[in-house]
Amino acid sequence: MALAVVAFLTLLSVLPAVAQDAAKEPAYRAFPLIGSRLAVWAVAQLHLNFAAFILGVPIFAVIIEIIGWRTGDARYDWLSHEFVKLTFAAFSTTALLGALLLFLFVGYYPKFWTYMTSIFFPTYWVYALLFFAETFTVYVWYYGWDWLSGPRKGIHVGLGVLSNLFGTAILLVANSWVTFMISPAGIDESGALKGSVWAAINNFTWMPINIHRLIANIVFGGTIAAAYAAFRFLGAKTDEERARYDWMGYIGNFVALSAFIVLPFAGYYLGREIYAFNQTMGITMMGGFMSWLWIIQAILIGVLFMGSNYYLWLGMERIPGSERYRRYVPIMIGILAFGFMVWATPRSMVITLDEARAMGGTHHPVLGFLGVMSAKNTAVNMMILTTFLSFVLYRRANRISTKSWVGAGMIVQWVALGLAAVVVVFYGVYGYFVESMVRIGFSVYQVLAVLGAIGVVMAIDIPMFKGARSTGTIRWGTIAPRSQYVLILLAVTFTWLMGLMGFARSGIRQHWHVYGVMRDSSVDAVTPAIGYAANMITIVTIAFFALVMFIFWLGGLGEKGMAGGSGHHAPAPVFAGGSDADPTPAPSRESTGGRSPQRS
Amino acid sequence: MRVPVAVKVGAFALFVMGTYTYYANSIPQIQSKPPAELSLEGGNVTPAQLVKAGEETFKTKGTCEICHRIGQKGTRAPDLAGIGSRAGKVKAGQSAKAYIIESLLQPGAHLVEGYPNIMPQVDKPPIALNRSEVWALTAFLESLGGTVDVKLDDIPKTVGAGAAGGGATAELKLPGDAKAGEAIFTGKGGCIACHKAGKIGASPVGPDLSQIAKIQTPDYLMRKILDPAGAGTVAGFPKGVMPPMFGQTLTAKDYMDLVAFLMTLK
């Protein structure tokens, strides 16, 4: 990694010279065999996958570490270390892919890079300094795990928080470049910077993409970590190992699901800002040549919702006392399946003239109504509410509240969920009777209703089940093996979805490097169709998982021959088929004062 | 034989990705191609040809169809059926063509009740129609229920300035020698046999290039010289007349000199 940092800084120091030379050079060069676009596409997608992973995982790793520190539960400290270990192994690859991407831009798109440098050169230094700070902090955080334990645990946690702050700042800087390409700001008609670089950074889509990516990175990190745990679960030799990775997979999925529930809202915000920046771009994205892409996205998100819920339901089977909630599962399947179908229904279809005549137009007389945003917003909000309900039932699966006000609390919770559902459906139907500009605003009310219901239910649920009576301990490791394939399905689907959304983000610029400012006049100026993009996304996703497997395997080599199979860090804590009455990541009470017993 | 976990997981992941890929390849495939530049200046264009070229612009580079329909009320923009006749009655003293041109260049000037002010200026990026394209598009819209009477001179000369997109493109400096390029035009290249360029030449076989640098980019000219058919034919002129062999007969220096000369024709 140090080599990558040195290479990056060296490259940065010569960038102005490279940029000047580029002005005298051709606008484009051709990458051998596959062409420049595919080369940039592959490396950019791989880089973003790795970057999302190493930025997302530490966010929840440090939260888990804090939980372990404050409660004294060694399991959380072990789990946090496991997560950071995965991140650490991928760090160098991310940096090298980033450097490779930069080489490709400088070498194959020199004119474009010259222009970007003319706007953003000051930020390159900020990026480099942040990168150095992030690297240094993560090194100390990872290698200082044992050194900074016990009374110094607070310092260690502080390093984790600091590394996340640096990581997020890196994300914000890099996002300013990519969002400027979508929605340029702070420049005059000739494309030159008018005043401060801040105006170019703070463009229309910068903050929405910051938020969207930050949340998506957490989801992505959670799914990959859960898939890693699933892989280890399936290959486990002992019940103890199986129990440990069952728990790790559950936590990974819990993290992913928690962030995933709010991701569509961040997506709405981004969509609104794209429309606010340029109506033509927004319409091209949703109703123009890219409209079919959203059908694929609907399928993928449907799979994610169904998969996450299915995993929770399977997980309930290892919780004694959960039987009383199984009757809700068919209803939830029904809502999710119906929502999935609505979301995947296209507005119009490419059909022959005879078919159109038979159908009475290009829009189906009934199903056509399900293809518009009113129906889709309603569907996704109902799916979010249902998924949240799944989580609530899972959470209380083996607990019975002992509070005197439990009846009233339950009623308020159901009323909150019911009211949210009514608001969502009402605005969904009402949206058919108003102009599009008014309709867009309705999605805000729907989102607020859902978020409000989630807030109310959790605000009641947490105190209501505090000190609850247990109906039995969770039998960690006894979950059906097919559940682990669900975790792998979620990781593969979300990675593929990231590739698809990357194509959408880049594709909405169409034949512009920088929208409306710098035209793409290369041989690759055509924006390909969805099938071509899907082929490319799949190839890169396969390469990503192959690299991830290789890196994890390399990281695992250090464990070979170590006592307890956990490397330098403390051996994993014992689970013995379940030790916790609480299926959520609430702690047990085996206080160790923030120090793992094996490490003293 | 026991199948290793890695093989089972790998096969499962490939199956999942394969399913998504198959589905994505099964639905309609739509590419977004960069729009071709239309150049009508200097050519003898009949109203019918102009309307046809305008219809093409309406459907492609203009991206008008994203919001507007003809004979159908749009949710984002008004129905354009009959606009050629309606346009002249909106504002007293304003002709149909003046109304249409103003609507294209300053869309906020004539908002139709019930529709938001969302239309972009068509001669500015990202649509960036050039003067010829605005001319043709106006003719097409006039033809929807009205009479086509728009002339090139009705379109302001400033239209399309910087339409290729500013930024780095505007800084382009061609390395060729314009003086030497003029000699190629009249001599080795043989361009003068078909084209007029200011005071040079008079042949009407191909478009008049006297002001070509005003309406075309160097990229287009370079492409047109090397691949005349691929770069498209100016409306009103027969296709396939311009020879395709300049890539072989001209040296790299000749080529750059010729482009440099053409870019002086303003």
Side-chain angles (χ1 to χ4, degrees):
Chain A
M1 181 153 61
L3 270 177
V5 174
V6 171
F8 181 78
L9 289 173
T10 308
L11 184 65
L12 196 67
S13 68
V14 300
L15 270 176
V18 172
Q20 280 178 7
D21 287 346
K24 303 169 194 164
E25 292 174 356
Y28 305 101
R29 293 190 185 88
F31 190 88
L33 296 175
I34 60 172
S36 303
R37 175 170 63 187
L38 289 188
V40 166
W41 186 336
V43 175
Q45 190 181 326
L46 273 176
H47 175 60
L48 285 172
N49 282 340
F50 274 101
F53 181 64
I54 67 161
L55 293 177
V57 172
I59 293 174
F60 58 82
V62 78
I63 294 170
I64 290 169
E65 190 187 4
I66 291 169
I67 292 172
W69 174 41
R70 299 316 301 169
T71 62
D73 189 339
R75 292 181 309 164
Y76 290 101
D77 195 62
W78 169 82
L79 185 65
S80 175
H81 184 267
E82 282 291 295
F83 283 143
V84 179
K85 185 175 76 181
L86 298 181
T87 305
F88 199 74
F91 223 89
S92 306
T93 312
T94 312
L96 288 170
L97 284 166
L100 185 56
L101 185 60
L102 186 61
F103 289 145
L104 288 174
F105 280 135
V106 172
Y108 293 97
Y109 292 86
K111 209 163 193 71
F112 160 72
W113 195 252
T114 302
Y115 177 64
M116 291 298 282
T117 303
S118 75
I119 305 289
F120 284 106
F121 184 61
T123 65
Y124 293 178
W125 287 106
V126 177
Y127 186 85
L129 289 172
L130 286 169
F131 190 78
F132 179 78
E134 157 88 341
T135 307
F136 178 79
T137 317
V138 170
Y139 259 94
V140 181
W141 187 31
Y142 181 72
Y143 284 119
W145 211 283
D146 289 335
W147 175 48
L148 293 173
S149 60
R152 288 182 291 193
K153 190 64 175 173
I155 300 171
H156 190 258
V157 168
L159 284 171
V161 172
L162 198 59
S163 68
N164 274 297
L165 292 177
F166 287 136
T168 305
I170 287 177
L171 178 82
L172 302 191
V173 175
N175 283 351
S176 71
W177 308 333
V178 79
T179 54
F180 177 81
M181 290 167 68
I182 302 169
S183 54
I187 52 175
D188 61 23
E189 281 209 353
S190 72
L193 194 62
K194 274 196 293 196
S196 154
V197 70
W198 171 245
I201 292 170
N202 190 26
N203 61 69
F204 265 92
T205 53
W206 182 56
M207 196 46 74
I209 280 196
N210 287 338
I211 293 169
H212 196 270
R213 274 191 167 169
L214 199 63
I215 298 170
N217 288 353
I218 297 172
V219 182
F220 183 62
T223 59
I224 297 292
Y228 168 80
F231 187 76
R232 298 292 296 256
F233 176 98
L234 292 168
K237 299 279 192 298
T238 64
D239 287 346
E240 167 56 27
E241 201 181 352
R242 208 167 286 116
R244 193 190 316 150
Y245 286 109
D246 181 8
W247 184 64
M248 186 180 181
Y250 164 73
I251 299 285
N253 185 60
F254 170 78
V255 167
L257 192 56
S258 303
F260 181 62
I261 281 177
V262 292
L263 196 54
F265 305 144
Y268 287 140
Y269 175 37
L270 175 58
R272 274 177 73 104
E273 290 302 298
I274 288 173
Y275 271 88
F277 164 68
N278 188 304
Q279 287 275 340
T280 309
M281 179 185 262
I283 293 162
T284 299
M285 178 175 72
M286 299 307 298
F289 92 101
M290 276 205 156
S291 53
W292 280 94
L293 180 145
W294 306 103
I295 300 298
I296 309 275
Q297 191 223 28
I299 301 278
L300 296 173
I301 292 183
V303 168
L304 290 172
F305 270 115
M306 297 289 270
S308 301
N309 280 276
Y310 183 51
Y311 176 79
L312 285 177
W313 300 332
L314 285 174
M316 284 169 79
E317 288 181 6
R318 56 162 142 64
I319 306 176
S322 65
E323 301 81 8
R324 66 191 191 280
Y325 292 127
R326 284 188 191 149
R327 66 177 187 273
Y328 295 113
V329 170
I331 301 168
M332 291 192 284
I333 290 176
I335 296 172
L336 288 171
F338 185 68
F340 188 177
M341 287 188 284
V342 169
W343 209 358
T345 303
R347 170 70 172 148
S348 62
M349 288 172 279
V350 175
I351 48 178
T352 65
L353 197 60
D354 289 339
E355 287 169 332
R357 280 190 189 125
M359 202 162 72
T362 54
H363 299 162
H364 190 278
V366 178
L367 297 179
F369 289 108
L370 301 180
V372 297
M373 283 313 290
S374 272
K376 294 184 191 307
N377 283 345
T378 306
V380 74
N381 278 294
M382 290 302 290
M383 288 167 86
I384 289 170
L385 271 180
T386 307
T387 305
F388 174 67
L389 182 61
S390 270
F391 167 71
V392 169
L393 297 184
Y394 183 97
R395 188 176 180 276
R396 59 173 67 162
N398 64 340
R399 295 192 288 182
I400 296 175
S401 175
T402 54
K403 298 286 187 290
S404 58
W405 46 274
V406 62
M410 292 272 195
I411 289 171
V412 175
Q413 285 181 317
W414 281 112
V415 168
L417 286 171
L419 267 180
V422 168
V423 170
V424 166
V425 173
F426 170 76
Y427 279 110
V429 175
Y430 190 30
Y432 284 95
F433 301 98
V434 295
E435 295 294 336
S436 60
M437 293 303 284
V438 181
R439 187 164 55 237
I440 289 168
F442 285 176
S443 64
V444 176
Y445 306 138
Q446 292 177 311
V447 165
L448 288 177
V450 171
L451 286 179
I454 290 174
V456 168
V457 170
M458 287 314 292
I460 294 171
D461 219 56
I462 291 169
M464 193 158 72
F465 283 91
K466 195 167 186 180
R469 182 165 59 82
S470 171
T471 56
T473 55
I474 304 169
R475 296 185 292 269
W476 291 109
T478 60
I479 193 169
R482 64 181 181 278
S483 65
Q484 305 304 299
Y485 284 95
V486 174
L487 293 181
I488 289 160
L489 169 74
L490 294 177
V492 170
T493 303
F494 198 80
T495 310
W496 208 90
L497 178 60
M498 277 181 68
L500 185 74
M501 291 300 96
F503 169 66
R505 174 184 48 73
S506 175
I508 55 172
R509 287 184 279 111
Q510 295 177 279
H511 54 279
W512 297 92
H513 291 309
V514 179
Y515 193 70
V517 175
M518 189 176 196
R519 195 187 283 266
D520 180 355
S521 53
S522 71
V523 292
D524 296 320
V526 173
T527 309
I530 187 70
Y532 181 95
N535 298 342
M536 189 63 193
I537 292 163
T538 296
I539 291 167
V540 179
T541 306
I542 291 170
F544 171 69
F545 278 106
L547 277 170
V548 164
M549 295 279 277
F550 177 68
I551 291 165
F552 287 172
W553 174 76
L554 273 183
L557 281 182
E559 292 181 7
K560 304 274 182 192
M562 294 288 180
S566 291
H568 295 291
H569 190 62
V574 173
F575 279 81
S579 58
D580 195 346
D582 183 352
T584 58
S588 67
R589 293 291 166 198
E590 40 174 322
S591 177
T592 57
R595 177 188 289 266
S596 182
Q598 295 85 349
R599 235 177 299 141
S600 55
Chain B
M1 192 185 75
R2 193 176 165 82
V3 182
V5 169
V7 174
K8 286 197 276 191
V9 168
F12 177 69
L14 285 175
F15 171 75
V16 171
M17 286 185 274
T19 305
Y20 297 150
T21 311
Y22 172 77
Y23 182 68
N25 279 280
S26 307
I27 59 177
Q29 302 294 307
I30 309 166
Q31 281 187 337
S32 168
K33 292 181 181 170
E37 293 281 324
L38 175 71
S39 176
L40 300 166
E41 295 189 49
N44 297 317
V45 189
T46 64
Q49 289 169 328
L50 197 59
V51 168
K52 196 173 174 207
E55 186 176 4
E56 187 68 15
T57 301
F58 183 86
K59 290 176 177 172
T60 56
K61 187 176 176 183
T63 64
C64 317
E65 278 190 321
I66 288 178
C67 297
H68 287 285
R69 296 281 183 277
I70 298 170
Q72 189 184 335
K73 186 173 180 272
T75 53
R76 290 183 288 263
D79 179 6
L80 293 177
I83 186 68
S85 60
R86 282 202 316 272
K89 300 168 190 164
V90 178
K91 196 173 167 186
Q94 188 174 38
S95 66
K97 69 182 173 190
Y99 174 89
I100 291 170
I101 292 168
E102 193 171 21
S103 297
L104 293 173
L105 303 180
Q106 297 170 47
H110 298 292
L111 278 185
V112 175
E113 194 179 339
Y115 292 98
N117 185 15
I118 59 171
M119 180 170 156
Q121 287 175 259
V122 300
D123 66 326
K124 299 284 187 238
I127 296 176
L129 298 186
N130 64 32
R131 199 167 169 231
S132 294
E133 289 158 344
V134 174
W135 179 26
L137 184 56
T138 306
F140 170 64
L141 294 173
E142 279 189 302
S143 76
L144 300 174
T147 309
V148 178
D149 62 352
V150 62
K151 300 280 181 276
L152 181 59
D153 288 341
D154 295 325
I155 313 297
K157 290 196 164 48
T158 52
V159 164
T169 315
E171 298 162 14
L172 185 65
K173 287 196 170 48
L174 294 171
D177 176 355
K179 195 80 183 163
E182 186 177 339
I184 301 294
F185 188 90
T186 55
K188 184 177 177 182
C191 318
I192 199 169
C194 300
H195 295 285
K196 181 177 186 298
K199 293 175 184 171
I200 309 168
S203 171
V205 175
D208 183 349
L209 303 180
S210 300
Q211 294 188 316
I212 191 71
K214 260 191 185 174
I215 55 168
Q216 287 298 0
T217 62
D219 283 350
Y220 169 82
L221 292 175
M222 293 164 98
R223 194 152 45 96
K224 179 72 185 172
I225 293 168
L226 294 181
D227 180 16
T233 304
V234 173
F237 292 92
K239 289 181 180 173
V241 174
M242 185 161 165
M245 75 318 169
F246 290 116
Q248 287 77 49
T249 57
L250 298 180
T251 66
K253 185 176 181 315
D254 295 340
Y255 175 59
M256 293 314 298
D257 290 347
L258 180 58
V259 175
F261 166 65
L262 293 173
M263 289 310 294
T264 65
L265 302 174
K266 294 179 182 173

